Amino acid sequence: MAGEIFEALNVNHPGKVRRVDAVKFRKACDGLLAVLPTEAPGLNQSEMIAAARAVMPDTDFPGATQGWWIKSAQLHLEAVGQVVRDTGKPLRWRRVG
C-alpha cells in the first residue's frame, strides 16, 4: 500500500509540482526550518545542508538522499513564503518571521 503523497512546489518552476512521500517531506521541512535563522545573513547552501543533515536521521534519509530532500524542502518552503532567499554572493536562506 502506498503512503501519503505530498505535492511539493518549486520556486524556480511556478505551477509545477513534484509528488513526494508526505512523511519524509514533512520531516525534511521540519529539519530545515529548525536550523535556518530568522535574521540575515542566513545560511549559504553548504551551511544549510550541513546543518539540516545534523538534525535529520540517517534511518529516514540514507546516504546522499538527504541533500535532495533538503533542497526540495528549501525550494518548496521558499515557494510558499516560509523561507526567503537573500541577494548577494553566495546566496543565503533564512526563515521568515
Side-chain angles (χ1 to χ4, degrees), residues 61-74:
F61 304 95
T65 66
Q66 279 180 330
W68 183 90
W69 286 99
I70 295 164
K71 188 63 180 177
S72 295
Q74 174 257 303

Side-chain angles (χ1 to χ4, degrees), residues 26-78:
R26 283 188 198 111
K27 287 181 181 181
C29 288
D30 290 346
L32 183 57
L33 289 171
V35 299
L36 283 176
T38 56
E39 296 191 17
L43 300 178
N44 68 33
Q45 183 157 324
S46 297
E47 294 166 339
M48 175 177 63
I49 290 173
R53 279 187 170 158
V55 299
M56 293 170 60
D58 289 333
T59 54
D60 291 335
F61 304 95
T65 66
Q66 279 180 330
W68 183 90
W69 286 99
I70 295 164
K71 188 63 180 177
S72 295
Q74 174 257 303
L75 291 167
H76 174 79
L77 293 169
E78 194 174 346

